[in-house]
Amino acid sequence: MKKINILSYIDISEIKRISFRNDINGLRAIAVLSVVFYHVNFPIFKGGWLGVDIFFVISGYLISNIIISELNESKFSFRNFFLRRIKRILPALFFTIGLSLPFAFWLLTPKALHEYLNSVAASLFFYANYYFMNLEFYIAESTKIMPFLHTWSLAIEEQYYILFPIFAYLIYRYLKNYFAILIILISILSISLTILSEEVNKFYQLQFRVWELLLGVVIMIISSNIKLNHFEKLGVPLMISPIFYFSEDSINEIEPKLISLLGVALIIFSNTDKTYLSKVLNLRLFSLIGMSSYSIYLLHQPLFAFVRIYNSDIQPVISFEKLDYYLSFELKVILIIVLIFFGILQYFFVEKKVQESKHVFKILLSFLAVSLISIFYGINGTEYNDRLNSQSPLVQTALDYQKIENFDLIINNEICHKSSLQQLVNENCFLNNDLDTKEIIFLGDSHSRMLLMPFADKVKDNPIRFLTGDSCIYFTNIVIPDCKRSDKEILKNSVLKLENKIIIYVADLQDKLDNSKLDILNNVPITIKDLSKNNYVIVIKQIPPFPTNVGNRIIKNDNLFEVKYSSNEWGENDNKIKLDDMYQKLENDRVFFVDTFDIFCEEIQQGYCVGSDLNNIYIYDDNHPSDVGGKLIINKIKNILKILNNN
């Protein structure tokens, strides 16, 4: 029986430069279209974010082939490698930034512009993944209107392009025979870290992504030594099925990535032009999209973001039907056609032309200088902000709500609840400790943030403890990984031991009803029942969401401040109906409710859910109560406290 030599399958000594492969170019087209369809909100492509993971595998495959083949031929040079990367990546990136700048200064509010300019700087110097990882999304602009959010993936690739050549060169020189084994071991370590880590921000970090790039390296090495035919018949369904099956809830999970990328691996192994798949991928349009995939990827997020902003700004009447920067189906189709057209143009007239130019580095330096001057002007200049400095107090209030420091809770001249990713609620968040009345415990997520200061100011008859934090929906049976509290595990158990307290329960639930992990309709009732066994519980019902950012709309429409929509739209909304049914089942003599529908959709103005009127802002973004809106809620809470303090 012939002995199988496993080492022969992972030998790198005979690897040669791969010529252009139509099937890999076609995979690029599938990857970029998946991302585009996902970001334009075609529901069928709910797992289209996997397109980025497919790109990572392809990048790992191609870059490792370049490096190892040149090492085998003794032609590898760090200088030449990095110069090629610069010529390949920077022209299209710089051009996209240049195109976006005028639209940013035209369409963005000061806070959004500041975030945009910082993201451009992060994109230019390839740390965008860390910039977005540390951005406080609860008070940042919606991700749907962040023009350069997508450059986090470009930053990861560039960080890999810096580290991998050094690693490959050293291992090739000193441990060549163990090259593939070390790659496999590092991949396994990265996969293990991804599985074991509950860190929310692992989405943006190289150590949790490097296995995808290294999978491309492993595929390249093994496919150079063995040939497999017809595996694309299994690879195609494996690659595309997770794109249609998994949703955004699974974006940090390993399973959809493993399934899809295994499919990619099998397709690459089946390197032949005779398959049905290859014939499809060789179609002219597919081929053009594949070649232009980098430019299409760069352009898609700014295009969609700016169109969403403009489309939202010009709508005279807002409608709950068109929630979250709504784009009609027809407009989505037009945008995709425009995107592909200009992506192909950018590929031929920017990517290729600048790469081939003798003056490529002069051109790139000019683009860089313009970008840096624009960033400096935008962040430090006053002219843009002066254009928005309206004399209206309401506009000034809206601008104030865009400053992060205004969300801090200050007690006894100390900040005990700071609205940033690093600083959390701590033991200083106590008030009125010398009183012997029932203690009030505030449990809540970011919806509680604007209730804290007015609550501390208005409620003087009870000791108060604030146990709140962004994303901290409190459950007695599970811990939310997203919760921005370092003590969330301890908190879950300690709250269960409370007795004879008044617990105020606040949470934004409606946009999480589809999250199977949170299982809102089951876990909230379990929690309220657990809390009310030995305590009184005041539940703040779901605050009505708005189909636009109220503050931004006020800032941009100096002469029109009313932001409202028909109360029937929210009253008849499926999510509200589900939550109301849930609340109704919780009613007992120890559970009290504050109905925010009555406050925001009836009392301010009959028949309308009101985000702002000519005098006040009640919702400062699209769902968080302002100081004024918070006081209206607290007035209802105080009425309940009068009853409970007498019990």
Side-chain angles (χ1 to χ4, degrees):
M1 187 174 179
K2 187 176 179 181
K3 189 175 181 180
I4 298 174
N5 183 5
I6 299 296
L7 293 178
S8 65
Y9 296 138
I10 55 176
D11 179 33
I12 66 169
S13 59
E14 299 299 323
I15 290 176
K16 294 181 172 56
R17 185 72 175 267
I18 298 167
S19 57
F20 180 82
R21 283 182 56 172
N22 288 319
D23 58 340
I24 291 180
N25 188 54
L27 288 177
R28 281 195 183 116
I30 292 171
V32 76
L33 289 176
S34 298
V35 174
V36 167
F37 293 158
Y38 167 69
H39 280 153
V40 84
N41 281 4
F42 281 145
I44 192 172
F45 290 90
K46 57 186 178 180
W49 41 268
L50 284 163
V52 172
D53 303 276
I54 295 171
F55 272 128
F56 284 158
V57 174
I58 294 170
S59 294
Y61 178 90
L62 296 174
I63 292 301
S64 63
N65 177 257
I66 291 170
I67 294 171
I68 295 173
S69 64
E70 290 185 353
L71 284 169
N72 283 335
E73 296 171 10
S74 300
K75 293 180 179 178
F76 178 74
S77 159
F78 285 106
R79 178 180 179 275
N80 291 338
F81 175 82
F82 289 123
L83 287 178
R84 286 197 302 266
R85 290 294 90 205
I86 289 170
K87 289 181 180 180
R88 171 73 179 92
I89 291 165
L90 294 188
L93 175 62
F94 285 5
F95 190 76
T96 302
I97 290 170
L99 279 178
S100 72
L101 283 167
F103 293 99
F105 279 91
W106 172 35
L107 292 170
L108 299 181
T109 61
K111 180 168 75 76
L113 181 67
H114 189 269
E115 289 174 5
Y116 159 81
L117 293 170
N118 278 304
S119 71
V120 169
S123 304
L124 287 170
F125 297 103
F126 305 118
Y127 66 91
N129 55 330
Y130 291 104
Y131 170 74
F132 289 111
M133 183 180 81
N134 289 295
L135 189 64
E136 180 47 86
F137 281 98
Y138 264 93
I139 59 169
E141 296 297 296
S142 165
T143 56
K144 292 182 182 298
I145 56 169
M146 287 184 177
F148 277 82
L149 177 65
H150 62 321
T151 58
W152 70 267
S153 64
L154 183 61
I156 282 182
E157 287 203 26
E158 287 309 303
Q159 290 156 17
Y160 174 80
Y161 293 159
I162 292 169
L163 296 173
F164 181 74
I166 299 169
F167 170 83
Y169 177 81
L170 293 173
I171 299 303
Y172 185 93
R173 184 168 180 181
Y174 299 108
L175 295 166
K176 181 178 176 181
N177 292 336
Y178 301 98
F179 191 100
I181 293 172
L182 288 170
I183 293 291
I184 292 169
L185 289 174
I186 295 171
S187 301
I188 293 171
L189 177 61
S190 176
I191 291 171
S192 301
L193 284 173
T194 305
I195 293 170
L196 295 173
S197 174
E198 293 186 357
E199 188 177 343
V200 178
N201 289 325
K202 65 183 179 182
F203 179 84
Y204 292 106
Q205 298 180 60
L206 177 61
Q207 64 267 33
F208 301 109
R209 294 282 188 171
V210 74
W211 72 267
E212 300 172 32
L213 291 142
L214 295 180
L215 177 61
V217 182
V218 174
I219 295 167
M220 190 278 302
I221 293 171
I222 296 176
S223 64
S224 298
N225 293 290
I226 62 172
K227 304 298 177 187
L228 300 172
N229 295 323
H230 308 300
F231 271 78
E232 79 286 344
K233 294 174 183 175
L234 177 59
V236 171
L238 282 174
M239 177 181 70
I240 66 173
S241 57
I243 292 171
F244 303 112
Y245 178 76
F246 290 96
S247 69
E248 196 169 277
D249 294 343
S250 304
I251 205 164
N252 264 343
E253 294 177 0
I254 198 83
E255 291 87 352
K257 297 171 187 176
L258 285 174
I259 296 168
S260 186
L261 300 188
L262 174 60
V264 174
L266 293 175
I267 292 169
I268 295 176
F269 273 119
S270 306
N271 179 17
T272 173
D273 290 329
K274 297 179 181 179
T275 64
Y276 178 76
L277 174 66
S278 294
K279 291 177 182 177
V280 172
L281 296 180
N282 285 342
L283 292 172
R284 180 62 176 162
L285 180 60
F286 241 86
S287 181
L288 280 172
I289 292 172
M291 286 188 293
S292 310
S293 58
Y294 176 52
S295 281
I296 292 171
Y297 183 77
L298 283 175
L299 290 169
H300 87 279
Q301 181 73 6
L303 175 64
F304 295 165
F306 290 132
V307 170
R308 282 187 175 110
I309 295 167
Y310 178 76
N311 194 50
S312 174
D313 289 348
I314 63 173
Q315 298 297 324
V317 179
I318 64 171
S319 168
F320 195 78
E321 299 270 327
K322 299 179 179 180
L323 188 64
D324 208 6
Y325 296 100
Y326 171 84
L327 300 175
S328 68
F329 177 80
E330 295 79 10
L331 182 54
K332 290 176 183 179
V333 172
I334 292 169
L335 285 176
I336 290 169
I337 293 170
V338 169
L339 170 67
I340 292 172
F341 176 74
F342 281 101
I344 292 171
L345 285 183
Q346 182 165 292
Y347 169 71
F348 282 107
F349 294 101
V350 177
E351 284 191 63
K352 289 194 73 175
K353 288 288 185 184
V354 175
Q355 257 187 93
E356 295 165 359
S357 171
K358 295 179 181 178
H359 306 291
V360 57
F361 291 105
K362 290 181 180 178
I363 295 170
L364 292 177
L365 285 172
S366 300
F367 268 121
L368 180 61
V370 170
S371 299
L372 291 176
I373 290 169
S374 300
I375 292 169
F376 179 81
Y377 165 78
I379 292 176
N380 297 299
T382 58
E383 183 180 336
Y384 175 77
N385 287 336
D386 287 343
R387 288 198 285 116
L388 292 172
N389 277 341
S390 163
Q391 297 302 310
S392 164
L394 214 60
V395 173
Q396 291 303 315
T397 301
L399 289 168
D400 287 339
Y401 279 123
Q402 296 195 338
K403 298 173 183 175
I404 188 170
E405 60 270 17
N406 291 338
F407 296 95
D408 295 344
L409 173 61
I410 302 174
I411 294 177
N412 299 326
N413 296 319
E414 290 189 36
I415 297 174
C416 73
H417 185 298
K418 188 170 181 62
S419 295
S420 74
L421 213 57
Q422 284 76 33
Q423 298 198 44
L424 310 171
V425 182
N426 59 38
E427 65 273 11
N428 292 326
C429 278
F430 288 85
L431 272 177
N432 309 330
N433 281 348
D434 55 334
L435 299 177
D436 58 3
T437 50
K438 287 188 180 71
E439 185 182 24
I440 296 172
I441 310 291
F442 229 100
L443 287 176
D445 58 10
S446 63
H447 268 213
S448 68
R449 186 194 294 116
M450 295 307 291
L451 303 181
L452 301 184
M453 284 296 287
F455 193 83
D457 182 57
K458 281 180 169 289
V459 178
K460 305 292 188 181
D461 298 331
N462 299 77
I464 304 170
R465 197 180 343 165
F466 296 109
L467 300 177
T468 58
D470 288 349
S471 293
C472 293
I473 298 177
Y474 177 80
F475 295 123
T476 53
N477 54 333
I478 61 171
V479 174
I480 308 299
D482 295 6
C483 176
K484 304 297 190 295
R485 289 185 68 106
S486 58
D487 62 348
K488 50 183 175 281
E489 292 276 356
I490 300 169
L491 178 64
K492 182 176 84 73
N493 298 319
S494 62
V495 169
L496 277 171
K497 299 175 183 177
L498 294 174
E499 292 185 7
N500 199 30
K501 309 293 184 184
I502 300 172
I503 296 173
I504 298 177
Y505 189 85
V506 189
D508 178 20
L509 304 176
Q510 68 89 22
D511 63 342
K512 302 173 183 68
L513 285 175
D514 294 332
N515 189 325
S516 58
K517 292 181 181 178
L518 296 184
D519 196 9
I520 295 289
L521 296 178
N522 285 319
N523 287 331
V524 169
I526 290 170
T527 298
I528 299 302
K529 286 175 183 176
D530 287 342
L531 294 175
S532 62
K533 285 176 184 175
N534 300 307
N535 306 280
Y536 292 105
V537 181
I538 301 174
V539 178
I540 312 299
K541 287 189 177 182
Q542 176 67 50
I543 293 170
F546 276 73
T548 187
N549 185 303
V550 176
N552 283 355
R553 199 170 180 87
I554 291 169
I555 292 166
K556 291 182 177 182
N557 295 279
D558 200 353
N559 60 344
L560 180 66
F561 297 130
E562 282 200 328
V563 182
K564 61 186 182 182
Y565 64 91
S566 169
S567 56
N568 289 336
E569 287 193 72
W570 175 232
E572 296 168 5
N573 180 268
D574 287 343
N575 284 351
K576 183 181 188 303
I577 292 170
K578 289 176 184 176
L579 290 172
D580 282 346
D581 288 343
M582 179 192 75
Y583 293 136
Q584 191 172 8
K585 294 172 186 175
L586 294 172
E587 290 180 356
N588 65 59
D589 58 359
R590 300 186 71 84
V591 179
F592 299 80
F593 294 94
V594 173
D595 194 337
T596 57
F597 182 85
D598 291 343
I599 296 171
F600 294 99
C601 301
E602 294 295 339
E603 293 176 7
I604 298 172
Q605 193 173 141
Q606 188 72 30
Y608 290 97
C609 295
V610 181
S612 70
D613 56 24
L614 297 179
N615 300 307
N616 292 299
I617 298 172
Y618 303 100
I619 302 291
Y620 70 82
D621 52 7
D622 59 356
N623 64 2
H624 291 85
S626 69
D627 182 63
V628 175
K631 286 176 181 176
L632 296 177
I633 295 172
I634 289 163
N635 287 337
K636 302 285 186 182
I637 295 174
K638 287 184 70 178
N639 292 333
I640 299 171
L641 290 177
K642 288 178 184 177
I643 299 169
L644 298 181
N645 281 333
N646 292 325
N647 284 352

